Amino acid sequence: METLHFGILGHSAEGAALCFRAFCGEGFRALGPHRHPDVTLDLIPLARSMPYWDAGDHAPIRDTLAESVRRLAGAGADFFACPDNTAHMALDLPGEDLALPGLHIAEVVADRAARDGRTRVGVLGTRYTMDGPLYPRALAARGIAAEVPAAADRAAVDEIIFTELLEGVFSEESRRRYAEVIGRLAARGCDAVALVCTEIPLLVTPEVSPLPTLDSTRLLARAAFEVATGLRPVPAWRGGPGPSPS
């Protein structure tokens, strides 16, 4: 079977590793033991970008991500996906076309929410993602409302991401805290929760969530596998404002 070469544009280590494992797992299930399309992962340390996230200056972050995409192209990748939701705020900036076409994670998640018939989706991610336009825009384009936690809950979710999840720490106390936050979103009328920091699914599994989950990392890996095996068209997006609903 002829397949395309998938490039993973990493931004944080845990999320990139989960996407890599999930993509290969799709191959094992569909193609047989030890089989998956070619995949290359490129990861420039997050530390290079953090001062710019803190300053709200996304242009240098886009430059760093574009460097990774160029390296993926040089490694022979046919297309890319970035398993980091917040990074898409930088990728969405106008600028020179990225070296490869890519899947847009918010579009993948919003498409799944629409297919599932969701009408109001809670959004859990970094403070940058929860306070930003990424998911309200993608969900609204499909007639779905986006809800974020209250301010105190947003602060707790973000702190756990940066002090624990990005460092590979997954505690029962934090798992309970996230479940409480999701429960409050359910009480506000949400019919699903989007786990749109790519490390959150390592902490919050469907069994502990009070709402059905939209696991952005695994949804993206599945979409990438479908592209690589010809079940989904090769994407056309090369950065800039997100693509139109598919």
Side-chain angles (χ1 to χ4, degrees), residues 42-82:
D42 192 86
L43 178 63
I44 293 173
L46 181 60
R48 184 193 296 189
S49 296
M50 279 308 303
Y52 299 109
W53 284 121
D54 292 338
D57 183 3
H58 297 168
I61 301 168
R62 191 189 198 277
D63 291 342
T64 297
L65 296 169
E67 180 182 339
S68 268
V69 179
R70 287 193 296 271
R71 298 196 315 204
L72 290 168
D78 297 298
F79 71 102
F80 83 94
C82 180

Side-chain angles (χ1 to χ4, degrees), residues 164-175:
E164 297 182 21
L165 305 191
L166 291 179
E167 302 296 328
V169 176
F170 306 97
S171 70
E172 286 301 322
E173 180 181 354
S174 293
R175 186 173 288 111

Side-chain angles (χ1 to χ4, degrees), residues 19-41:
C19 183
F20 178 86
R21 293 195 303 270
F23 177 81
C24 293
E26 292 286 346
F28 303 154
R29 286 186 291 275
L31 305 178
H34 315 301
R35 297 183 182 276
H36 56 75
D38 289 353
V39 55
T40 297
L41 189 160

Side-chain angles (χ1 to χ4, degrees), residues 11 46 49-58 61 84-87 89 123 125-136 154 158 161-162 166 196:
H11 196 48
L46 181 60
S49 296
M50 279 308 303
Y52 299 109
W53 284 121
D54 292 338
D57 183 3
H58 297 168
I61 301 168
D84 188 293
N85 290 270
T86 302
M89 295 173 62
V123 176
T126 67
R127 64 187 181 275
Y128 311 109
T129 300
M130 289 187 290
D131 293 342
L134 199 64
Y135 277 92
R154 293 201 303 276
D158 182 79
I161 289 169
F162 281 99
L166 291 179
V196 296

Side-chain angles (χ1 to χ4, degrees), residues 8-21:
I8 299 176
L9 169 56
H11 196 48
S12 64
E14 289 290 339
L18 177 57
C19 183
F20 178 86
R21 293 195 303 270

